[in-house]
Amino acid sequence: MTAPAAVPAPQSPPKVKVPIGLIAGIVAMVAVLLLPLPAELPPAGHRMLAILAFAVVVWITEAVSYEASAIMITTLMAFLLGTAPSVKNPEVLYGTSAAISMALTGFSNSALALVTGALFIAAAMTFTGLDKRIALVTLARVGTSTRRILLGAIAVTIVLSLVVPSATARSAAVVPIMLGVIAAFGVDKRSNIAAGIMIIVAQATSIWNVGIQTAAAQNLLTVGFMDKMLGERVAWSDWLIAGVPWSLLMSAVLVFVVLKLLPPESDAIAGGKEAVEASLRELGPMTSAQKRLMLVSIMLLLFWSTEGKLHRFDTTSTTYFGLVLLMLPRFGVMTWKDVQTRIPWGTVIVFGVGISLGTALLTTQAGQWLGAQVVAHTGLDHLGPLGIFAILSAFLILIHLGFASATALTSAMLPILIAVLQTLPGDFNRLGMTMLLGFVVSYGFILPINAPQNMVALGTETFTAKQFAKVGILLTIVGYLLMLLMSVTYWRWLGWM
């Protein structure tokens, strides 16, 4: 008689530990709530500062996903603000209904609508393959020397920055193409040539986020805060005129630094251009959908660049007009089903809550109070525009080391910095200073974790974090000094300082 088979003991499910960062965020929030309430700070503002402390800690530690943190912040605002006295009438509580409405105000902001529209355009680019074609056509115009290949990588980034309004989408399009170029060269993935190409793809994306307003979500968030807190914003073309010279100079610096720190093993590599042309031939002729998308993209560029000069249509409205064309039956290039899975909806949620957080800091007077404290304890009110910009931009560069998202950094810090600028005495252009600080938000040069495009490039395993940081530290120092120089020359002449 055979013995019955042993029944395996039931396994208990693995224990899920609460992230330390989440615990630290809750501790930070409670610590702020337990601090004595300053006489000039409303209770609602006090609670918003506690929520801000929670958000900053959770974002820096990446204890939970950004999407989950956005829902947590919304819930905290609903209950903590809902049980706080109203700023306008302290005898009446906000109530959770009014508080949740305040927590969702960001979702009715035109900046969020523009980000969503930009994500649709980026999805259309990848869906039709136009982004890949643009990148390959640009590279096909480049020679086979390593220097020209590096310049070609930057040229691709510039062209795509104009028509693909998403840094992550651009890097996701360019990285596979450049991997193909590296493979065609027959060089080792860990060679200086391969490392230089991929580092340039990532760093150039950040550099050109500065030059083009619609190139990155944090720029659009900056524009949203301009509208909300300053009552005006910088036009697409004015941003371009201010930012492009810095981006061009920094592109040259980037190539120089990469060639010096990662000298290529060979000055010329045979077969690179032929490989790109072979990839183009594989794509076949330009499809009718790509032609229509190119036509709409050029039209949008014309509308964006002439806003306030040839017409009064704002960037968001013209972008949505372009989306209508792209989704029209027969003329359009995509349907809702084609793109709905290609849109990072989590980005939309985080962006909306980020705007709400900044708006609530302003509404509850927390931002103004914090700005006044910064001015009172730092001596900024005794400095001129150059000193103010130098200190605030250095602060942004340092704190960015702890953030993996420029959007999160903008949401947490820019409303406070705008409040600081509004508190400061003196005659200087607060709108222009906000734009320049918005430029600095894109300084994700040092750590791969500081920007999504860095992580996309790092995933190719062509370079190490140490190599990336060596290039990034020099870029950060030169870029910072160049901005200080331009703030007393070019940007001052334009009237932005």
Side-chain angles (χ1 to χ4, degrees):
M1 185 174 179
T2 57
V7 178
Q11 293 183 346
S12 57
K15 292 182 179 179
V16 179
K17 294 183 179 179
V18 178
I20 295 176
L22 182 58
I23 296 172
I26 294 171
V27 169
M29 177 177 65
V30 173
V32 174
L33 287 173
L34 292 177
L35 289 174
L37 178 66
E40 61 274 22
L41 178 65
H46 186 204
R47 296 185 183 193
M48 273 309 304
L49 290 179
I51 295 171
L52 177 65
F54 170 84
V56 169
V57 172
V58 169
W59 284 338
I60 287 177
T61 60
E62 294 187 272
V64 295
S65 68
Y66 285 106
E67 294 82 358
S69 69
I71 295 172
M72 291 176 184
I73 291 166
T74 303
T75 306
L76 287 172
M77 289 174 67
F79 286 98
L80 287 181
L81 287 184
T83 55
S86 169
V87 172
K88 292 183 179 179
N89 185 3
E91 296 181 0
V92 178
L93 299 181
Y94 273 108
T96 53
S97 178
I100 195 70
S101 296
M102 193 185 302
L104 298 175
T105 52
F107 292 91
S108 62
N109 189 282
S110 62
L112 177 72
L114 181 55
V115 167
T116 309
L119 292 175
F120 269 88
I121 294 173
M125 285 283 174
T126 57
F127 176 70
T128 61
L130 181 59
D131 55 352
K132 185 177 182 180
R133 184 178 293 277
I134 290 173
L136 286 170
V137 168
T138 306
L139 285 173
R141 304 289 186 268
V142 179
T144 55
S145 71
T146 52
R147 188 184 300 270
R148 284 180 174 270
I149 291 295
L150 296 180
L151 290 172
I154 290 180
V156 168
T157 302
I158 296 172
V159 175
L160 289 182
S161 295
L162 289 167
V163 294
V164 182
S166 166
T168 308
R170 291 198 303 277
S171 57
V174 175
V175 162
I177 294 171
M178 299 313 295
L179 274 177
V181 171
I182 291 168
F185 288 169
V187 297
D188 187 81
K189 277 183 69 175
R190 284 292 189 180
S191 65
N192 283 353
I193 292 175
I197 289 173
M198 282 304 166
I199 288 175
I200 276 186
V201 168
Q203 302 285 29
T205 300
S206 295
I207 286 172
W208 282 91
N209 282 348
V210 172
I212 299 169
Q213 188 185 95
T214 48
Q218 64 264 22
N219 297 350
L220 305 180
L221 187 53
T222 299
V223 172
F225 284 137
M226 286 176 177
D227 259 334
K228 202 74 179 178
M229 299 182 69
L230 299 174
E232 55 182 332
R233 61 188 178 86
V234 176
W236 189 92
S237 57
D238 291 332
W239 187 297
L240 188 81
I241 292 169
V244 161
W246 182 89
S247 294
L248 284 171
L249 289 171
M250 285 304 297
S251 295
V253 171
L254 173 60
V255 173
F256 177 81
V257 169
V258 166
L259 288 173
K260 287 296 181 184
L261 295 184
L262 297 167
E265 291 82 358
S266 174
D267 291 332
I269 307 170
K273 186 175 182 180
E274 290 77 6
V276 172
E277 290 173 346
S279 297
L280 263 178
R281 285 195 297 272
E282 287 177 13
L283 288 180
M286 197 171 186
T287 65
S288 58
Q290 289 175 344
K291 290 177 182 177
R292 294 194 298 274
L293 178 54
M294 178 65 81
L295 181 66
V296 172
S297 299
I298 293 171
M299 179 202 72
L300 286 176
L301 276 176
L302 291 173
F303 270 117
W304 293 341
S305 60
T306 55
E307 178 192 351
K309 296 172 175 61
L310 298 182
H311 63 84
R312 295 185 179 180
F313 305 126
D314 64 280
T315 305
T316 305
S317 299
T318 52
T319 301
Y320 271 70
F321 175 66
L323 289 185
V324 169
L325 296 178
L326 294 179
M327 300 188 77
L328 277 176
R330 295 183 65 85
F331 179 84
V333 302
M334 60 187 180
T335 65
W336 177 264
K337 288 185 178 180
D338 294 328
V339 295
Q340 64 178 347
T341 57
R342 299 171 183 265
I343 302 295
W345 295 107
T347 300
V348 177
I349 294 172
V350 173
F351 201 93
V353 172
I355 296 176
S356 299
L357 182 67
T359 303
L361 286 168
L362 175 68
T363 305
T364 61
Q365 298 181 13
Q368 295 92 320
W369 180 86
L370 201 55
Q373 298 307 305
V374 171
V375 172
H377 294 92
T378 59
L380 282 176
D381 51 336
H382 299 300
L383 299 176
L386 176 61
I388 295 168
F389 177 64
I391 291 175
L392 294 184
S393 57
F395 165 75
L396 278 175
I397 290 170
L398 288 174
I399 201 169
H400 197 164
L401 294 173
F403 279 85
S405 165
T407 304
L409 175 62
T410 307
S411 302
M413 294 299 153
L414 205 61
I416 296 168
L417 295 185
I418 294 175
V420 168
L421 296 179
Q422 290 176 315
T423 306
L424 288 169
D427 183 21
F428 64 94
N429 189 330
R430 286 156 180 81
L431 179 68
M433 187 81 77
T434 301
M435 177 183 69
L436 301 183
L437 291 173
F439 289 174
V440 182
V441 170
S442 292
Y443 272 53
F445 299 128
I446 297 176
L447 301 177
I449 192 90
N450 289 153
Q453 59 268 22
N454 299 351
M455 296 304 294
V456 172
L458 183 67
T460 63
E461 299 181 347
T462 53
F463 61 88
T464 64
K466 184 178 180 181
Q467 288 174 315
F468 189 87
K470 281 173 63 179
V471 173
I473 289 171
L474 272 177
L475 284 181
T476 301
I477 294 171
V478 174
Y480 175 70
L481 294 176
L482 181 59
M483 280 195 169
L484 295 185
L485 176 62
M486 293 181 71
S487 66
V488 294
T489 53
Y490 180 64
W491 291 331
R492 185 180 178 187
W493 301 334
L494 292 177
W496 293 122
M497 286 293 289

